[in-house]
Amino acid sequence: MSLPAPATALLVAEAVTAGYDPDLPIVRGASLRVAPGEILAVLGPNGAGKSTFIKALAGIVPIGSGHVLLGDHDITHVAPHLRPRMGLAFVPQTENVFGTLSVTDNLKIAGDALADRTVAASRMAEMFDAFPDLAHARALQAGRLSGGQRQMLAVARALIGRPRVLMLDEPSAGLSPKLVSEVFRRLDRIRESGVAIVLVEQNVRAALALADRALVLVEGLNRHEGLARSMADDPVVAELYLGIHRRAAEALV
Amino acid sequence: MSLQFLVDGTVAGATIGLGAIGVTLTYSILRFANFAHGEFIAWGAYATLAASAAMGLLVGHATPPLGPFSFTWLTLCAAVIAMGFTGGLALGLDWLLFRRLRDKGESIIAIMASFGASMALRSLLEALFTAQPTYFTRALQIARPLGFGLRATPNQMVLVVLAGLLMIGVHLFMTRTATGRGMRAVSENPTLARVAGIDVTRVIRITWMIGGALACASGVVVGLLVQVRPFMGFDLLLPLFAAAILGGIGSVPGAVVGGFTVGLAEAAAVAFVGAQWRGAVAFAVLIAVLLVKPAGLFGRRA
């Protein structure tokens, strides 16, 4: 299946191999492109390498071969801590906030990476405006937040650097359906501001409903790519790779 | 019953607390128990001696002691220089040894290597300065009454105050500055710290600098109040670890409270049970606290 490639891709990964052991790559030549204001869902069965792929793009899993481009920059081997200030933010799946630090300190850490102190302070104020729940809990240790608040804090932390690309590893994990739709509504709004979003998800239905395009990884390789809507309609794709039944897929239409 | 053990315990607690801050920070940020930390204490004391001797030669005449204290302003300047030197020594040891082992990800090997480094550093001190004890000054200090039957020398009083100020300074640094926030973040979750934009390599360097500098300060306190000898740091190692664990690994206030607890428990043991029980009592306190609070007094996870 050909890739309906966006004309102005912001983040491009080409034939990336990655894994903790160079001899046993988990990602074995996967590719993706995502454009400003676009949401790309990365789907696939368990163990397909989705999470490793996105971590490799964030710089915390070593890349063996292939290229990662952010705009005009080749960031394949750029240190992970430099990526946020280049405009690439990543929200890990679990332990994505500093539980022993206060909510404020969690956000300040992201602000510390910015060159300008006053900008950092005003961005933090913006985050507290956008996430009133966090503003009320600002002095609380982040470990005491609810699952949903924690996910919001992780997203807010990532947004402080005004990323051009936001990558999230299973933001719906461990959240109730109501909270999932709240998180996804937020992502929709972030996309509207022109941010490119890469979303690794197990919750296929919710991800396909939100995303513009989807990519199915199987055994560390691209297996299927297409518009999210048509993918949800495709019974073969749905049953083979996504583990949802035809009826559920039909319900999406 | 004499309460004099309170003074002795507070003085010992200040030296243990200064050393334990370094132990707890290395343990939580680099994730291994550095048994060479005691050597930073001894090296710091000797470096201060050497620097103050060198400065004495430069000045060319004997400097009078400061007020009621037995040391001169040269000693204080030398201590500050030596703190920088010992921080650099810790950094150098990391560059030479621990950095390579860290890349391999085996913390037990780093721990064993730190034993080796400890012996090597201590032998080097013996080679350079002999194993004989030496002194900053041989002047006798008269203890002054503090009330309640307690007595302390002017040196003891000023050094406890200076140690306290250093500890408060480190605490403020950890809680109020971007670097301190970064250190706390790395100690909790290094991977997330990198993703959040923190330069973990820089945090590690600063951790060694702070740990080394405070160890040096601890060595100067011991050196001024007791004596300077190559084993002075190694002998403090168990109390340092007891204090760090008692306070909760990763916590600066915990290391300080742990230091004073261990120091006071040891002094109480000497006063009331017998000097041979000193170490045993400190560890009984440690075990008792850990039975009730397994993560230590200020530990973050039970």
Side-chain angles (χ1 to χ4, degrees):
Chain A
M1 193 183 255
S2 72
L3 177 71
T8 53
L10 193 50
L11 179 70
V12 177
E14 271 169 7
V16 167
T17 66
Y20 297 95
D21 180 350
D23 297 330
L24 282 173
I26 299 164
V27 178
R28 304 184 305 143
S31 302
L32 66 72
R33 336 180 120 235
V34 61
E38 184 189 39
I39 299 184
L40 171 72
V42 179
L43 311 170
N46 275 329
K50 310 183 289 290
S51 186
T52 310
F53 189 26
I54 201 172
K55 283 179 188 162
L57 300 183
I60 52 177
V61 169
I63 289 181
S65 62
H67 295 283
V68 183
L69 302 172
L70 180 65
D72 298 329
H73 297 279
D74 186 330
I75 60 161
T76 314
H77 299 291
V78 168
H81 72 269
L82 298 174
R83 296 179 190 217
R85 67 197 80 164
M86 298 177 79
L88 178 66
F90 174 52
V91 179
Q93 180 189 350
T94 51
E95 295 185 7
N96 52 18
V97 299
F98 297 104
T100 58
L101 271 58
S102 69
V103 168
T104 305
D105 276 352
N106 267 273
L107 294 177
K108 274 187 180 171
I109 278 175
D112 292 337
L114 303 175
D116 191 329
R117 287 278 156 109
T118 52
V119 171
S122 74
R123 298 267 176 90
M124 186 150 84
E126 277 171 32
M127 287 307 144
F128 282 141
D129 283 345
F131 299 90
D133 270 12
L134 297 180
H136 295 140
R138 64 177 81 199
L140 212 63
Q141 278 199 330
R144 297 174 172 236
L145 297 176
S146 70
Q149 289 172 324
R150 225 184 275 206
Q151 198 60 260
M152 294 302 181
L153 176 57
V155 171
R157 197 260 305 140
L159 290 179
I160 289 238
R162 290 257 171 94
R164 293 183 288 161
V165 181
L166 175 62
M167 306 192 296
L168 304 102
D169 193 357
E170 300 211 25
S172 75
L175 297 187
S176 70
K178 190 171 160 241
L179 284 172
V180 172
S181 53
E182 195 191 330
V183 170
F184 279 25
R185 258 202 315 278
R186 292 272 183 186
L187 296 181
D188 205 24
R189 234 173 296 158
I190 295 165
R191 171 255 300 275
E192 280 165 11
S193 70
V195 175
I197 296 180
V198 180
L199 185 67
V200 164
E201 260 302 336
Q202 295 278 10
N203 189 339
V204 173
R205 232 178 297 176
L208 287 179
L210 174 71
D212 302 299
R213 286 185 308 117
L215 158 66
V216 179
L217 281 190
V218 176
E219 292 178 359
L221 283 165
N222 296 36
R223 186 61 66 88
H224 265 277
E225 308 175 26
L227 295 174
R229 180 163 270 263
S230 66
M231 197 153 323
D233 291 343
D234 186 331
V236 181
V237 173
E239 286 197 25
L240 268 180
Y241 304 116
L242 309 180
I244 55 174
H245 296 295
R246 191 178 198 157
R247 199 171 299 161
E250 279 165 359
L252 275 174
V253 183
Chain B
M1 184 173 88
S2 165
L3 292 177
Q4 183 58 29
F5 82 93
L6 289 174
V7 171
D8 301 336
T10 303
V11 171
T15 64
I16 297 170
L18 282 175
I21 293 175
V23 166
T24 208
L25 288 180
T26 353
Y27 203 128
S28 66
I29 291 174
L30 289 114
R31 282 149 215 273
F32 82 100
N34 177 23
F35 286 101
H37 197 78
E39 269 35 77
F40 298 154
I41 292 177
W43 271 81
Y46 277 102
T48 308
L49 271 180
S52 87
M55 284 160 63
L57 288 177
L58 280 179
V59 172
H61 56 84
T63 43
L66 278 174
F69 311 117
S70 72
F71 51 85
T72 71
W73 62 270
L74 278 184
T75 320
L76 287 181
C77 293
V80 172
I81 294 169
M83 282 171 75
F85 167 81
T86 316
L89 177 73
L91 208 54
L93 191 62
D94 183 65
W95 181 82
L96 198 69
L97 191 62
F98 299 129
R99 178 179 57 109
R100 297 160 205 271
L101 300 170
R102 193 160 54 240
D103 293 343
K104 300 199 170 91
E106 293 274 356
S107 76
I108 187 70
I109 295 177
I111 293 170
M112 299 316 288
S114 78
F115 264 117
S118 162
M119 280 188 275
L121 284 171
R122 200 162 56 246
S123 302
L124 196 55
L125 272 186
E126 288 178 339
L128 290 171
F129 297 95
T130 79
Q132 292 304 310
T134 174
Y135 298 86
F136 275 96
T137 165
R138 288 178 189 273
L140 275 180
Q141 278 220 305
I142 307 300
R144 309 194 173 180
L146 296 174
F148 305 103
L150 303 178
R151 302 174 76 85
T153 65
N155 270 9
Q156 285 178 325
M157 289 188 259
V158 75
L159 290 172
V160 166
V161 170
L162 285 178
L165 289 176
L166 261 181
M167 293 170 186
I168 292 169
V170 174
H171 177 66
L172 292 178
F173 176 79
M174 292 294 289
T175 50
R176 304 283 166 86
T177 68
T179 306
R181 265 195 296 280
M183 288 172 69
R184 286 184 293 147
V186 173
S187 110
E188 181 181 328
N189 186 339
T191 307
L192 181 61
R194 287 153 77 202
V195 168
I198 294 168
D199 184 347
V200 174
T201 314
R202 178 173 165 271
V203 162
I204 287 174
R205 279 202 297 268
I206 290 166
T207 304
W208 282 117
M209 290 291 295
I210 293 176
L214 293 180
C216 171
S218 172
V220 173
V221 174
V222 177
L224 279 169
L225 297 180
V226 194
Q227 56 182 199
V228 178
R229 55 196 177 84
F231 269 86
M232 64 191 283
F234 185 75
D235 291 346
L236 267 175
L237 201 57
L238 284 179
L240 292 189
F241 275 93
I245 294 166
L246 186 67
I249 288 298
S251 165
V252 169
V256 171
V257 172
F260 283 110
T261 309
V262 171
L264 286 167
E266 285 190 352
V270 172
F272 303 120
V273 194
Q276 72 273 32
W277 294 99
R278 183 177 156 150
V281 168
F283 277 89
V285 171
L286 173 64
I287 291 166
V289 170
L290 292 186
L291 283 176
V292 182
K293 282 205 76 171
L297 293 172
F298 292 74
R300 44 177 179 244
R301 277 180 212 98

